[in-house]
Amino acid sequence: MCLFGRLFKKDKKENIMPEIKTWEFTVEELLKKSGETLDSIPASHKKNLEKLVSVVNKLGEMLPDNLKGPRLCNSGYRSSAKQMKIYKERAEKKQEPFTDGVFIESKVPVTAHCAGEAIDINDPDGSLDNWLMDTPEGQKAVKELDLYVENKKHTPHWCHVQIRKTKSGNRYFIPY
């Protein structure tokens, strides 16, 4: 199960009804797509993932009710091999930073994902990105939680949130 696990509760007629947890990320979930385990990653990355999960779950508590619905983790922790694969595909599609279509390994960024400091949260309609970037409440949450958010123009259908400070110090940033 990805973002939300299913628990079961009984209703008044003793039928078992699924109860969906709407915003509760886990370290294991952020590792799942990487193929890595807690035992296979550096201790510092595990510590980063634990902090990231804690902070992102606190963000979930701060969200307005209309945004607390189920969200999926599109991407969490990435191994260097997974990072290379993603950027080779970007080169094939002539996407940043390979607009010329030529894959150059040295152009592959070592993103916060590679250290367990970032998550891409499914955001198909952009409502989470819009709240974080365009509302005073969202901006306050980003600052209070010491988060950094990739500009929504660069994250169609997902919201990139990280605990790693950007080089510029900007809370909202453009990659590359």
Side-chain angles (χ1 to χ4, degrees):
M1 280 177 251
C2 220
L3 162 65
F4 48 94
R6 290 194 182 269
L7 297 177
F8 295 93
K9 67 178 183 178
K10 292 182 179 181
D11 67 7
K12 293 179 184 176
K13 296 180 184 178
E14 296 298 311
N15 294 318
I16 296 177
M17 307 278 294
E19 181 180 318
I20 297 173
K21 289 185 175 183
T22 58
W23 187 286
E24 187 175 327
F25 291 95
T26 66
V27 169
E28 292 76 17
E29 178 187 357
L30 273 66
L31 279 170
K32 191 174 185 175
K33 290 182 181 179
S34 73
E36 301 288 337
T37 64
L38 282 174
D39 296 333
S40 69
I41 64 171
S44 61
H45 293 187
K46 179 182 175 186
K47 185 177 177 180
N48 292 340
L49 281 168
E50 289 169 348
K51 180 180 177 184
L52 177 64
V53 164
S54 174
V55 171
V56 170
N57 286 338
K58 286 178 187 172
L59 174 64
E61 294 170 10
M62 299 170 88
L63 292 171
D65 288 342
N66 66 316
L67 295 180
K68 289 186 180 185
R71 297 277 181 177
L72 302 174
C73 169
N74 285 359
S75 184
Y77 186 80
R78 289 186 198 151
S79 65
S80 57
K82 177 76 171 176
Q83 184 77 349
M84 286 294 171
K85 182 180 181 216
I86 289 168
Y87 281 86
K88 280 181 183 176
E89 291 170 0
R90 292 184 73 89
E92 289 170 7
K93 295 176 185 175
K94 297 185 178 184
Q95 296 175 329
E96 293 287 340
F98 304 104
T99 54
D100 58 2
V102 177
F103 178 77
I104 301 169
E105 197 169 308
S106 63
K107 281 190 172 183
V108 175
V110 179
T111 69
H113 287 283
C114 296
E117 297 173 304
I119 181 173
D120 291 341
I121 302 168
N122 189 45
D123 189 24
D125 62 359
S127 58
L128 179 58
D129 264 334
N130 289 337
W131 185 77
L132 290 171
M133 292 186 71
D134 300 337
T135 69
E137 298 82 10
Q139 293 167 1
K140 181 180 177 189
V142 167
K143 187 173 182 179
E144 281 182 18
L145 296 172
D146 198 20
L147 291 171
Y148 298 85
V149 180
E150 192 170 328
N151 186 291
K152 63 186 176 182
K153 292 178 183 173
H154 295 269
T155 57
H157 313 295
W158 74 91
C159 175
H160 173 95
V161 176
Q162 65 184 49
I163 56 174
R164 178 189 288 177
K165 185 177 181 172
T166 60
K167 288 179 185 177
S168 67
N170 293 332
R171 297 241 176 240
Y172 304 95
F173 66 96
I174 295 172
Y176 318 114

